[in-house]
Amino acid sequence: KDLRKVAMAVECFHKASLIHDDIEDGDKERYGERTLHAEYGVPVALNVGDLLLGEGYRLLAEVDAPDAQKVGLLRAAAEGHRSLCIGQGSELTWMRSPKTLRVSEVLDIFRMKTSPAFEVALSLGAILAGCDEQVRAVLRQYSDSLGIAYQIRDDLEDLHLPGSDELFTGKRPSILPALAREAAACRPEVGGAPPVSSLQPPAFNSSEVEAAAWRLMEAYKSQAIGSLIALKNANLKGLLRRVIGKMFHDFEIMGCCNDPSSQRPPHHE
């Protein structure tokens, strides 16, 4: 009964974030249908999102658990809620005055606006199960890498959809133009990257940039898998590997969890 309440709270938080994100980004479709604000207006959509947030916290408060554990659940949800808003705020600030971003800056936005959602979902279940701080630390590292990999994959999928030019026109931060500029800056024979103040994408080989994004995504997936080595519970290791396999349709990673330490993603200044 309590596990169902926690799972439903996670779903309430997630759907609230999607409703508010659609409003902030001006998106007209979600899951192949009109978004809530496009169908019923912004006031109704805002109210529904706020209601879902309140419902999520109500469900956590009603869990039959010791007070210290209940406080842990509420704190984890509140910290994740705050982190997501700060990450989204960074993106909204950028959208008010778009500028070129380095790869490291795009990854920081990805880390702030997406990773907390994974961490909250995992941490609430772990806290309810009575996990220790060592497990929480692993879940934070896992979520951090998984959130970045997920956002890179999102950019790669959008690259092959209609309207993919928006990835390069400053509508939202994307890893692809950042990688294109990085590649152009290293190739003076093509004129180098445009001035920092310019949002115009440099001349680049799209297949090379796509390949670079795939390599970066795979590096963060590997880091997420590598973080699981510190876990002692084999069932939990296997579960978290299956989460990655399902998300990325990569079932080769569902093997043994005691892999050697994974290669860390490249460092970007």
Side-chain angles (χ1 to χ4, degrees):
K1 181 179 178 181
D2 289 328
L3 184 58
R4 291 191 184 99
K5 287 181 179 179
V6 170
M8 185 58 69
V10 169
E11 191 65 12
C12 286
F13 294 143
H14 181 223
K15 288 300 184 287
S17 72
L18 296 182
I19 291 169
H20 290 167
D21 189 63
D22 286 341
I23 294 170
E24 292 165 343
D25 292 347
D27 290 332
K28 301 301 182 184
E29 287 193 358
R30 168 77 66 176
Y31 303 138
E33 298 182 5
R34 283 169 60 81
T35 53
L36 201 63
H37 74 276
E39 185 71 20
Y40 298 104
V42 171
V44 169
L46 282 174
N47 194 56
V48 172
D50 291 344
L51 173 63
L52 287 170
L53 290 172
E55 184 70 2
Y57 285 111
R58 182 187 70 81
L59 288 166
L60 293 183
E62 290 184 355
V63 169
D64 184 14
D67 289 346
Q69 199 173 38
K70 191 179 295 186
V71 168
L73 293 172
L74 293 168
R75 179 181 290 117
E79 289 175 351
H81 185 173
R82 180 176 180 274
S83 295
L84 283 172
C85 290
I86 291 174
Q88 183 69 2
S90 297
E91 181 171 305
L92 291 171
T93 299
W94 177 87
M95 289 167 65
R96 288 172 65 92
S97 183
K99 63 182 181 65
T100 59
L101 294 171
R102 297 190 298 271
V103 170
S104 60
E105 293 173 321
V106 177
L107 295 179
D108 282 342
I109 291 176
F110 287 175
R111 179 180 289 107
M112 290 189 294
K113 69 169 288 186
T114 302
S115 297
F118 292 109
E119 185 179 347
V120 168
L122 294 170
S123 293
L124 293 183
I127 292 169
L128 191 63
C131 77
D132 57 26
E133 184 53 38
Q134 191 266 347
V135 172
R136 289 287 305 279
V138 170
L139 294 179
R140 280 192 290 270
Q141 184 180 352
Y142 173 87
S143 300
D144 187 89
S145 301
L146 186 59
I148 293 173
Y150 179 88
Q151 283 294 139
I152 296 172
R153 195 274 303 272
D154 201 41
D155 278 0
L156 284 165
E157 289 184 343
D158 288 348
L159 185 61
H160 298 285
L161 294 176
S164 61
D165 57 312
E166 291 182 351
L167 294 169
F168 299 92
T169 57
K171 183 177 180 182
R172 64 177 175 84
S174 168
I175 197 66
L176 298 172
L179 287 170
R181 289 177 182 279
E182 186 176 87
C186 296
R187 296 172 61 184
E189 69 274 10
V190 297
V196 173
S197 60
S198 172
L199 280 172
Q200 179 183 358
F204 65 95
N205 183 312
S206 60
S207 61
E208 289 181 1
V209 171
E210 185 174 2
W214 275 103
R215 288 193 297 270
L216 195 59
M217 181 189 75
E218 291 296 331
Y220 277 99
K221 280 173 56 183
S222 295
Q223 183 167 309
I225 295 169
S227 69
L228 303 180
I229 294 173
L231 291 177
K232 299 176 182 178
N233 188 309
N235 289 332
L236 181 56
K237 288 183 181 181
L239 172 64
L240 294 176
R241 289 179 69 101
R242 289 195 296 275
V243 168
I244 299 175
K246 184 172 183 179
M247 285 177 56
F248 294 92
H249 309 293
D250 183 356
F251 298 99
E252 293 183 1
I253 65 175
M254 295 185 183
C256 176
C257 298
N258 295 316
D259 298 332
S261 181
S262 302
Q263 176 185 353
R264 294 185 63 82
H267 178 68
H268 292 276
E269 295 296 340

